[in-house]
Amino acid sequence: MAKNVGRIVGVNGNLLTVEFDQPVIQNEVAYAVTGKVKLKSEVIRIRGRYAEMQVFEDTTGLKVGDPVEFSGELLSVELGPGLLAQIYDGLQNPLPELAERLGFFLQRGNYLPALDRSKKWSFTPLVEKGAVVTAGEALGKVPESIFDHYIMVPFSFPGRYTVESVAPPGDYTVEHEIAVLKDEHGHEHKVSMLQRWPVKRPIRAYAERLRPSEPLVTKIRIIDTLFPVARGGTYCIPGPFGAGKTVLQQITSRHAEIDIVVIAACGERAGEVVETLREFPELTDPRTGRSLMERTLIICNTSSMPVAAREASVYTAVTVAEYYRQMGRDVLLLADSTSRWAQALREVSGRLEEIPGEEAFPAYLESVIAAFYERGGVVRLKNGEHGSVTIGGTVSPAGGNFDEPVTQSTLKVVGAFHGLSRERSDARRYPAIHPLESWSKYTGVADPELVERARRVLRRGNEVYQMMKVVGEEGTPLEDFLVHLKAEYLDAVYLQQDAFDEVDGATSAERQQYVFRKIVKILETNMTFKDRDAARSFFHGLTQTTKDWNRAPMESEDFKQIEQKIEKMVAEVTSYV
Amino acid sequence: MYKVYHRIEQIAGNVITVNAAGVSYRELAEVTSAEGVSLAQVIRLEGKRVFLQVFAGSRGIGTDARVRFLGHPMQTSFSEALLGRVFTGSGRPRDNGPAIEENMVDIGGPSVNPAKRIIPRNMVRTGIPMIDVFNTLVESQKLPIFSVAGEPYNQVLARIALQAEVDVIILGGMGLKFDDYLFFRDTLEEAGALSRAVLFIHTAADPTVECLLVPDIALAVAEQFALNDKRVLVLLTDMTNFADALKEIAITMEQIPSNRGYPGDLYSQLAARYEKAVDFDTAGSITILAVTTMPGDDVTHPVPDNTGYITEGQFYLRNGRIEPFGSLSRLKQLVNKRTREDHRTIMNTMIQLYAGFKETLEKQSMGFRMSAWDNKLLKYGEMFERELMDLGVNIPLEEALDRGWRILADCFEPAETGMPSDLLEKFWPREARPQDAGEEGGEPPAGEAEAAEQPQKSENDSEKEQEKASQE
Ligand SMILES: Nc1ncnc2c1ncn2[C@@H]1O[C@H](COP(=O)(O)OP(=O)(O)O)[C@@H](O)[C@H]1O
Ligand SMILES: [Mg+2]
C-alpha cells in the first residue's frame, strides 16, 4: 500500500493545515515530519483538499511544505494484560519507560508501546475448537495483578465466529497468536491478547445496558448518605481552587469499594500525580491486602503537557475503563479536571475559527460532555455477568462561579452533583461538599426517609443561622437556637470527616447506617435547657464525644462504651412531654 | 547565509507579515528598520505568509524593512557568566556588560516527565512568621503573592530572596517600574547576593512583546542551573503584566477572547511557566515565587483565578500584611511535621483563634454585647497582628513559635486554647501572666469566660482534625 503523504500549508500553534491528494479520514492519526522527528497528530476537520490537524506535541520547527504521513487509523489505545498499575500519558505512552530512555524531559516525537511486548502471560483457554463466539466473549484468561484478565474476541469483530484453534495453556507474549477465528464468510482471523480500539468510540460489546441501582460505597459519609453515587452512575465535583476537589478524588481513589480505579489527571498539577504514584505502591488495599497500585491505572496529562493530548487523555481513560468493564469488573474513572479538557476543546475551536458559544467555548461543548458521561453505565455482558463504569469528574469553574458553560453542561447529564463551597473549605469543614446545594438522583446506603428528615434539620438550621446574623444571638429564641445547634452537630459529627484518621477517614456502609440512625434520633429528641449557653455547652460536649466515637473502630469495646455515654448524655437533657 | 526579505505585506499591532519560504514555526528573525534592529518570532505560517511578532514593537517599521530569518527558535545562553548580570527580556545585556553567547539553549523547552519528579521535602525559611509558621514555603513550590497594586510585594519578594537558602536567584521583571528594578538590583547588591543572581528585566517603558519572553528565558536559565544541581529561586513580578501582554497579542491576532479579553489558552500559558517548578529526582530544584496583582482587588479576575488553579497555594498581601485567610500553602504539610513538634498545633490554634477574633470584630461593629471571651479575643487579635503578622517582624521559625506561645499565654488560659495537653505541658510559658490586664475590659471572671468559650472550643476540634489530617 502506498503511503498517504500530505504536506503542511499552515501552522498556527498546535493546529496544522495540510494539503492532501489521497483520501483521509476524520479523526485519523497522522505524523508531521520535521527532520528526524515525527509528531503525532489527529485530523479534526476536512475542507476540500485541506485537512486541519491538531498536533499532540509542540510544533516548533515545522515548515510549510513539510510532509505529513497519514496512518489510516483512528486515534486508538492498546488493550490487553499489563494495563493495571501503569502510568501513561494522554496518548498511552508509559511514562516510567519514557523516563528511563529520555531522562528528565518529555522530548517530543517519542512514542513507546503501551503494553510490554516481551512480558509473558500465563494463558488458560476458555473455549474449544468449534465454539461459536462474538465480539467481547472470552477466549481465555491470564492472571493480572489481582484479577483474571479475560482475553476477548476483539470488539471490532462484527458477527459470529467459529473457533478454528485456540492456544494450549502456556506462557505467551501479548502479540502471540492465541486463537484463530473463522467468520461467516469462511475467512480466518488471527487473534492475540492485544487489541486496539479507537478512543472516541464507546465499546458496546455487551448484551444490554442497565440502570445504575447499586450504591458505590466511597466511605465518605456525606456522599454515601446524602449525595450517593451509583455503580455505573456519573457525578461531578465543581469547586473553586483550593476547595478540595483533588483531595476528595484522592481519598475516593483510595477507599472506594470498586475493582479498578482509573485516574485521569487531566491538565492539572504534575505534583499531585506524583503523590499518587509515589504513595500508592506503599499503601494496602484493605479489600485485597495487595498494594493499591495494583488496582489503579493512571493516565496523566498534566497542565504543561501538550494541550491536544489533554483532550485525548480523558478518552484514553474511559476506553481503558470500558475494557475492564467488559470483563465484568466495576471500574471507577476519576477525571481531574474536566474543565481543562473543555479548555483544550476551546483552544482548538478558537484556532479553527469556529463560531464561539458562551465564554468562547465551542457550541458543541454540551454534546461532547454529554457523550463522555454517557460512557459511564452498568451493562449486562453476553455471559450474563455485570460490569460497570462509574465516572466522577471535577469541574474548575472560572471565578468559582457555577454559572458557567462547563459546570452547567455537566450538571445536565450527571446523576449527582457534589458542589464544593469556598465558605466550607475556608472554615475547614472538609469535605467541603455543600450540604444544601448538592444533589443526587441515586439511592444511597441510608434509609431515604431518614435522610429526608436529616435534610430538614439542615435546612431549618440554616434559616435560623441566617436570621441570627441579623438579630444576633440574643434575639434568637432558644427553640430556634437549638435547631441551629442540632444542624451544626449533624454537620460536625457526620457530614465532616477527618479524611486522614485511620478510622474516621473511611466509614463502611454498615457503620454509616448504624450511626446515621442514632444521630437522626438525637436530632429529633426534644431537649430542655435553661438557656442558650447551657445548650451550647451541651452540644459542644456531645460533639466532642461523638467525634471520639467516629474514631473508634466499630468492633471495639470503645465503640460500645462511647455509644452508651452518648445515650446517657442525651437522656439527661431529654424532655418528656 | 539566510535570505533577506524586503517587503512587509502587513503591519498590525506588533505583528508584521512577510511572504517567505522555508521558514519554520517559532523561528527567530532580525527585523531592521529606521528604528534599528529588533528580534522577531514566527507566530503563524499560512501558505507563503509568515506572521512575525516583533519584540521591539512595530512602531517605526516601514514596509521596506529588512527581515532576515535566523534558522533557530528563541535561545538563551547558559553559563556561570550570567551570574551578577542584568538582561532584557530578549536576553540583551542591560548593564553595559558584554553580550554572552556561549552554550545556547532553547527557551520554553519540554515539560518534566512526572515520573522523574519527587515529592518535595525541604522547607524554605523566609523569616516571615506568616509564611514560616502558617503557610510554609517549600523548595520546588510554585506560589504567587496575590496583591492589590500599591502593596509592598516587591519588598516581600526581595526579602524572601535574600533570606532563602538557595544557590541561585533569578529575577524576571515584567512591566517593572524602573525604580523597582533599581530597588531589586541595589537590594541584591547591598546584601552581596547579586553575584549569585541573574536579572531579566522588562520595564514598563520597554516593548510589550519582550515582556512575554521574560518568564521563559528566566525559567530556561533556572532549569539549566537546576540540572546542574543548584537550588534555584525564580522571582517573577508581575505575572499580571505577562498575562496582559498575552492578551494584547491575542487581540492583534484576532483570537476570540474567552473572558474579559484574555485568550482561551491563558490557563495553559500560565501553567506552562509555573509547572517549571520542580524538584528533580537526582539534581537540583526550581522554586517559583511570583507576584500577581489583582485588578480591582478581585480574586475572581481571570489572571488570579487561573493562577490559583495552577499554583500550589497563594499568599494574600493586603494592608501590608500577609492575610491568614485565603493564603494557602498546599505543600506545607509535607514539611511542617519535621520542623518542631508544636509547629502544626501553633499554626492551627492561632489561626482558629484569629478567626474567632475576626468574628468578634464583626459582632462588635454590629453593636452586639461583648462577652468576656470576646474581650480576650480582641486582645489576642491585636497582639497577633502586631507581633506576628506585621511584615516588619523578621525572626526565625523557632522564635516565631515561641512568640506564639507567649501571645497565647498572655491572652488565654491553657485550656481555652484546646491544645493537646502534652504540648501544653511542654511549651506553655510558666511564669507568663497577662502584663497589661488592666486594659479595656480587663480580665473576665473565669465563669463567664467558660460559657462564652464554647463555640471557640468546637472550632478547635476541627483544628485538631486538621492537624491530624496534616500529619498523614
Ligand atoms: N478533606 C480534606 N481534609 C483536609 N484538608 C483538605 C481536604 N480537602 C482539601 N484540603 C486542604 O485544601 C488544600 C487544597 O485542596 P485541593 O483538593 O488541592 O483543592 P482543589 O483541587 O479544589 O484546588 C489541600 O492542600 C489541603 O490542605
Ligand atoms: Mg485540584
Side-chain angles (χ1 to χ4, degrees):
Chain A
M1 192 180 87
K3 256 197 182 164
N4 185 0
V5 180
R7 49 179 207 94
I8 296 176
V9 296
V11 184
N12 178 12
N14 67 349
L15 186 78
L16 304 182
T17 310
V18 178
E19 188 174 19
F20 60 89
D21 311 313
Q22 296 170 43
V24 303
I25 313 165
Q26 172 73 329
N27 296 120
E28 171 171 1
V29 169
Y31 293 86
V33 185
T34 166
K36 288 205 192 85
V37 185
K38 293 185 176 188
L39 306 178
K40 196 169 186 172
S41 40
E42 180 189 13
V43 175
I44 52 172
R45 186 164 74 185
I46 300 168
R47 290 205 287 203
R49 288 183 301 124
Y50 300 103
E52 271 145 336
M53 326 213 357
Q54 59 173 350
V55 186
F56 297 117
E57 306 269 12
D58 176 29
T59 50
T60 301
L62 289 178
K63 292 188 176 77
V64 168
D66 279 345
V68 173
E69 302 172 0
F70 291 94
S71 70
E73 283 177 15
L74 301 185
L75 185 66
S76 301
V77 290
E78 291 187 356
L79 301 172
L83 290 167
L84 288 182
Q86 265 293 0
I87 302 142
Y88 291 119
D89 73 3
L91 301 174
Q92 217 195 4
N93 289 295
L95 288 171
E97 279 80 357
L98 279 180
E100 226 163 81
R101 288 195 191 194
L102 303 168
F104 288 122
F105 296 97
L106 291 167
Q107 284 151 33
R108 62 182 185 165
N110 289 285
Y111 310 107
L112 294 177
L115 295 176
D116 189 336
R117 294 298 194 267
S118 56
K119 181 167 174 149
K120 290 199 168 162
W121 298 90
S122 168
F123 177 78
T124 310
L126 292 174
V127 290
E128 281 168 14
K129 181 172 162 31
V132 175
V133 291
T134 60
E137 287 182 280
L139 297 170
K141 62 179 184 179
V142 301
E144 181 192 16
S145 78
I146 31 189
F147 306 111
D148 279 338
H149 183 116
Y150 291 102
I151 308 301
M152 296 169 277
V153 177
F155 308 132
S156 58
F157 279 26
R160 298 153 69 84
Y161 295 78
T162 312
V163 176
E164 277 301 290
S165 68
V166 62
D171 293 347
Y172 309 113
T173 61
V174 286
E175 284 179 314
H176 190 274
E177 175 190 303
I178 54 107
V180 176
L181 305 180
K182 193 157 78 182
D183 67 22
E184 284 148 312
H185 309 289
H187 299 301
E188 291 195 346
H189 303 264
K190 293 179 175 148
V191 173
S192 71
M193 296 189 213
L194 172 90
Q195 58 170 312
R196 277 171 223 282
W197 186 259
V199 293
K200 290 192 182 159
R201 186 177 297 165
I203 297 173
R204 293 218 169 91
Y206 47 77
E208 67 170 330
R209 245 185 101 154
L210 306 171
R211 257 176 55 140
S213 55
E214 257 178 78
L216 189 171
V217 178
T218 63
K219 300 195 182 158
I220 301 167
R221 293 188 292 261
I222 186 170
I223 295 181
D224 296 344
T225 302
L226 250 57
F227 309 110
V229 176
R231 274 181 198 214
T234 54
Y235 68 106
C236 69
I237 310 172
F241 63 79
K245 300 180 291 297
T246 303
V247 171
L248 201 52
Q249 286 213 334
Q250 282 171 342
I251 52 186
T252 307
S253 68
R254 281 185 194 200
H255 300 306
E257 289 193 350
I258 200 90
D259 297 327
I260 292 167
V261 179
V262 179
I263 296 173
C266 174
E268 299 258 319
R269 303 175 189 89
E272 293 167 347
V273 187
V274 176
E275 283 179 29
T276 302
L277 66 89
R278 299 256 172 190
E279 281 170 4
F280 268 33
E282 317 292 321
L283 297 172
T284 313
D285 176 5
R287 274 159 48 98
T288 60
R290 305 276 288 267
S291 122
L292 260 185
M293 202 61 205
E294 292 189 44
R295 71 160 201 183
T296 311
L297 198 160
I298 302 174
I299 311 287
C300 161
N301 217 93
T302 52
S303 59
S304 63
M305 289 162 77
V307 173
R310 191 193 292 171
E311 200 234 320
S313 70
V314 296
Y315 291 106
T316 299
V318 75
T319 307
V320 171
E322 285 174 340
Y323 176 62
Y324 280 99
R325 179 198 63 196
Q326 291 300 128
M327 295 174 210
R329 306 283 167 232
D330 290 315
V331 187
L332 172 61
L333 166 60
L334 297 170
D336 186 14
S337 152
T338 61
S339 292
R340 306 303 163 215
W341 157 53
Q343 286 176 343
L345 287 177
R346 174 167 74 182
E347 286 185 32
V348 171
S349 167
R351 294 213 174 87
L352 290 172
E353 296 177 355
E354 292 172 338
I355 296 167
E358 214 180 320
E359 290 186 23
F361 283 106
Y364 47 80
L365 177 73
E366 205 173 302
S367 60
V368 171
I369 289 179
F372 172 71
Y373 281 102
E374 263 306 298
R375 292 179 74 167
V378 192
V379 300
R380 187 167 58 79
L381 300 167
K382 290 173 179 172
N383 66 4
E385 278 183 40
H386 291 184
S388 66
V389 171
T390 309
I391 303 181
T394 67
V395 186
S396 317
N401 178 0
F402 293 173
D403 246 351
E404 56 89 47
V406 185
T407 314
Q408 290 304 317
S409 308
T410 307
L411 285 180
K412 280 189 197 166
V413 293
V414 292
F417 161 55
H418 300 159
L420 301 193
S421 114
R422 166 66 75 220
E423 289 89 75
R424 283 184 74 83
S425 70
D426 274 353
R428 309 278 198 265
R429 297 183 175 214
Y430 295 119
I433 297 174
H434 199 290
L436 296 174
E437 281 162 23
S438 303
W439 49 257
S440 166
K441 295 176 184 164
Y442 305 118
T443 345
V445 301
D447 177 355
E449 143 95 59
L450 281 182
V451 173
E452 194 35 51
R453 274 148 58 187
R455 274 190 223 283
R456 218 156 29 224
V457 174
L458 289 171
R459 276 195 298 267
R460 283 267 297 121
N462 181 56
E463 283 162 21
V464 173
Y465 179 68
Q466 296 306 334
M467 191 185 67
M468 220 154 61
K469 280 207 265 189
V470 182
V471 300
E473 238 174 72
E474 342 37 321
T476 309
L478 180 56
E479 197 185 329
D480 283 356
F481 190 65
L482 259 180
V483 175
H484 162 67
L485 288 177
K486 283 178 172 174
E488 284 288 294
Y489 171 69
L490 173 60
D491 190 346
V493 305
Y494 200 81
L495 306 189
Q496 292 171 47
Q497 197 171 350
D498 182 350
F500 300 96
D501 183 88
E502 186 88 22
V503 178
D504 194 29
T507 310
S508 70
E510 186 199 355
R511 179 167 179 152
Q512 289 188 42
Q513 285 152 358
Y514 187 82
V515 170
F516 189 61
R517 189 169 289 281
K518 273 264 138 69
I519 286 172
V520 172
K521 200 169 152 215
I522 294 174
L523 296 177
E524 293 177 345
T525 304
N526 289 319
M527 302 177 182
T528 325
F529 297 100
K530 80 171 192 310
D531 58 17
R532 282 188 294 271
D533 282 340
R536 175 153 49 207
S537 165
F538 168 77
F539 271 100
H540 163 64
L542 189 67
T543 302
Q544 187 78 6
T545 311
T546 315
K547 280 185 169 180
D548 288 344
W549 198 35
N550 283 340
R551 293 194 196 96
M554 197 171 179
E555 58 286 353
S556 70
E557 195 51 41
D558 252 12
F559 184 86
K560 284 197 211 85
Q561 278 176 6
I562 302 174
E563 184 178 353
Q564 281 161 13
K565 188 172 162 198
I566 292 171
E567 280 166 1
K568 197 161 149 265
M569 287 172 87
V570 174
E572 276 167 12
V573 296
T574 303
S575 51
Y576 301 94
V577 202
Chain B
M1 82 190 223
Y2 291 101
K3 212 178 146 200
V4 176
Y5 296 86
H6 286 279
R7 223 190 112 64
I8 313 288
E9 301 287 327
Q10 181 185 310
I11 304 177
N14 292 319
V15 178
I16 63 171
T17 312
V18 293
N19 287 341
V23 175
S24 54
Y25 184 64
R26 292 208 175 281
E27 184 171 345
L28 278 192
E30 258 176 26
V31 179
T32 311
S33 67
E35 292 280 300
V37 183
S38 167
L39 286 177
Q41 185 170 36
V42 176
I43 57 169
R44 186 186 291 186
L45 296 170
E46 214 177 82
K48 282 202 303 275
R49 286 149 62 82
V50 176
F51 294 73
L52 289 147
Q53 174 170 290
V54 185
F55 294 172
S58 63
R59 178 173 313 143
I61 290 187
T63 51
D64 59 347
R66 290 189 305 143
V67 178
R68 189 169 73 95
F69 290 94
L70 301 181
H72 61 77
M74 183 70 193
Q75 293 176 323
T76 175
S77 152
F78 166 69
S79 81
E80 299 271 323
L82 293 175
L83 293 170
R85 298 290 312 276
V86 188
F87 303 91
T88 66
S90 49
R92 277 175 293 115
R94 86 175 294 153
D95 56 359
N96 301 322
I100 303 174
E101 265 152 23
E102 58 191 304
N103 195 16
M104 299 302 278
V105 294
D106 288 357
I107 73 168
S111 61
V112 174
N113 188 329
K116 292 296 268 183
R117 288 174 179 262
I118 51 176
I119 300 179
R121 63 223 142 141
N122 301 320
M123 169 181 177
V124 177
R125 285 168 175 268
T126 69
I128 300 172
M130 292 314 291
I131 297 178
D132 291 357
V133 178
F134 299 101
N135 279 299
T136 319
L137 183 64
V138 178
E139 186 177 337
S140 89
Q141 190 160 16
K142 42 186 181 284
L143 205 109
I145 297 173
F146 284 180
S147 169
V148 205
E151 295 285 343
Y153 45 82
N154 285 333
Q155 280 71 6
V156 176
L157 274 195
R159 224 177 108 184
I160 296 174
L162 292 179
Q163 216 117 12
E165 290 161 347
V166 293
D167 302 318
V168 177
I169 298 166
I170 298 186
L171 172 68
M174 288 152 283
L176 216 54
K177 283 197 289 253
F178 204 83
D179 290 354
D180 287 340
Y181 153 49
L182 294 180
F183 160 78
F184 274 113
R185 197 197 57 191
D186 297 347
T187 309
L188 288 169
E189 178 126 52
E190 278 158 27
L194 196 57
S195 59
R196 55 185 172 99
V198 189
L199 278 56
F200 294 96
I201 302 293
H202 166 269
T203 70
D206 298 329
T208 320
V209 184
E210 287 200 350
C211 177
L212 282 177
L213 300 170
V214 169
D216 285 337
I217 196 166
L219 290 162
V221 170
E223 201 161 76
Q224 294 301 318
F225 276 115
L227 288 170
N228 284 285
D229 294 333
K230 297 279 190 281
R231 285 170 303 165
V232 188
L233 174 64
V234 178
L235 310 174
L236 299 172
T237 172
D238 163 359
M239 286 299 278
T240 303
N241 290 333
F242 169 76
D244 286 343
L246 282 175
K247 175 163 90 171
E248 197 177 310
I249 285 295
I251 290 170
T252 306
M253 296 304 287
E254 295 174 0
Q255 282 178 25
I256 301 145
S258 68
N259 197 348
R260 295 201 227 179
Y262 290 92
D265 64 355
L266 180 62
Y267 174 87
S268 303
Q269 294 283 4
L270 291 171
R273 276 78 190 186
Y274 281 115
E275 282 280 312
K276 291 274 178 198
V278 63
D279 203 342
F280 283 117
D281 201 345
T282 49
S285 67
I286 302 177
T287 308
I288 302 179
L289 210 53
V291 167
T292 299
T293 50
M294 296 184 291
D297 198 10
D298 176 11
V299 72
T300 69
H301 180 279
V303 180
D305 186 49
N306 278 286
T307 304
Y309 276 115
I310 293 163
T311 52
E312 288 153 339
Q314 63 279 330
F315 297 147
Y316 269 88
L317 189 61
R318 184 165 292 142
N319 301 324
R321 296 195 296 235
I322 292 174
E323 280 286 323
F325 306 113
S327 294
L328 167 74
S329 164
R330 291 175 191 252
L331 303 187
K332 60 175 182 263
Q333 64 268 21
L334 300 177
V335 296
N336 63 11
K337 57 176 172 264
R338 280 178 285 125
T339 45
R340 210 170 88 176
E341 61 188 305
D342 55 333
H343 186 163
R344 285 182 169 173
T345 306
I346 283 283
M347 168 180 94
N348 288 320
T349 307
M350 293 198 81
I351 293 298
Q352 292 289 349
L353 289 168
Y354 187 71
F357 159 70
K358 285 284 188 186
E359 262 176 42
T360 295
L361 276 188
E362 220 167 278
K363 279 196 249 168
Q364 193 181 37
S365 73
M366 294 184 64
F368 294 137
R369 186 179 61 91
M370 289 290 97
S371 68
W373 176 249
D374 286 325
N375 285 323
K376 286 189 173 197
L377 285 172
L378 287 173
K379 175 177 172 193
Y380 166 76
E382 189 272 326
M383 282 183 84
F384 182 78
E385 288 182 352
R386 179 160 40 86
E387 299 194 32
L388 284 176
M389 270 174 79
D390 194 293
L391 277 179
V393 179
N394 187 353
I395 48 176
L397 169 73
E398 291 70 17
E399 203 182 320
L401 292 174
D402 293 343
R403 189 175 288 191
W405 283 106
R406 188 177 49 70
I407 295 173
L408 288 172
D410 274 358
C411 301
F412 305 105
E413 297 301 320
E416 289 170 345
T417 64
M419 291 163 123
S421 31
D422 53 335
L423 284 178
L424 287 171
E425 190 68 28
K426 186 159 175 192
F427 288 97
W428 192 263
R430 288 191 196 289
E431 77 288 10
R433 279 313 304 162
Q435 316 286 301
D436 40 8
E439 256 182 20
E440 44 153 322
E443 266 299 305
E448 201 180 336
E450 197 174 83
E453 150 212 359
Q454 298 305 348
Q456 192 50 47
K457 260 199 182 159
S458 72
E459 268 166 2
N460 281 328
D461 296 335
S462 59
E463 250 173 294
K464 265 185 270 167
E465 279 193 87
Q466 248 296 83
E467 185 200 335
K468 216 160 176 186
S470 325
Q471 274 160 6
E472 283 303 299

